[in-house]
Every structure is written in C-alpha cells, then in structure tokens.
Amino acid sequence: MSRWIEDASIPAPDGHYWARPAPDDCPGCPCHTARVCDRRDWTRASRPTHPDGTPYTEPCPCEHTARH
C-alpha cells in the first residue's frame, strides 16, 4: 500500500507546484501587510523593506496612529 506524502519540495509528476498566495498589503501604510496592522502585531512582524531590499526606516503610520 502506498502512502500520500505532502512535501512541497518534491516536484509533482505533472509539473505543478503549490505556492501560498501573497498576503494583502495594508491599505493604510506601505510597510506592512493588512494582517499585521489589523492585529496590531508590529512588534512580532519582521522589519519591513522596500521592494529593492533596502530597510524601511520611517515609522509605520498605522502604528503611530494607534499609539497616539
């Protein structure tokens, strides 16, 4: 009897692969995902970066608004 193995690193015989969809961007800031700002998980989120990989140095507008 064969077992089903769920391992995304093994290529499927028909060539498809599984990929998680990208998270939604926050509509209020360019630095976090919507889930981070909705849950106010700024301290648990990794430091955001610009698309070119440089670190985002400005404070998050959503976090600033929530704290004041």
Side-chain angles (χ1 to χ4, degrees):
M1 176 188 227
S2 62
R3 280 192 335 188
W4 181 262
I5 300 172
E6 289 195 37
D7 186 354
S9 65
I10 299 172
D14 62 356
H16 77 269
Y17 65 95
W18 296 99
R20 291 182 184 263
D24 294 330
D25 292 332
C26 178
C29 71
C31 51
H32 290 103
T33 62
R35 181 176 59 179
V36 169
C37 289
D38 287 344
R39 293 182 181 177
R40 297 179 179 204
D41 278 342
W42 300 292
T43 57
R44 296 183 65 196
S46 59
R47 189 77 185 139
T49 59
H50 291 284
D52 64 356
T54 58
Y56 190 81
T57 56
E58 299 174 22
C60 174
C62 298
E63 184 177 6
H64 180 75
T65 302
R67 293 184 187 221
H68 293 107

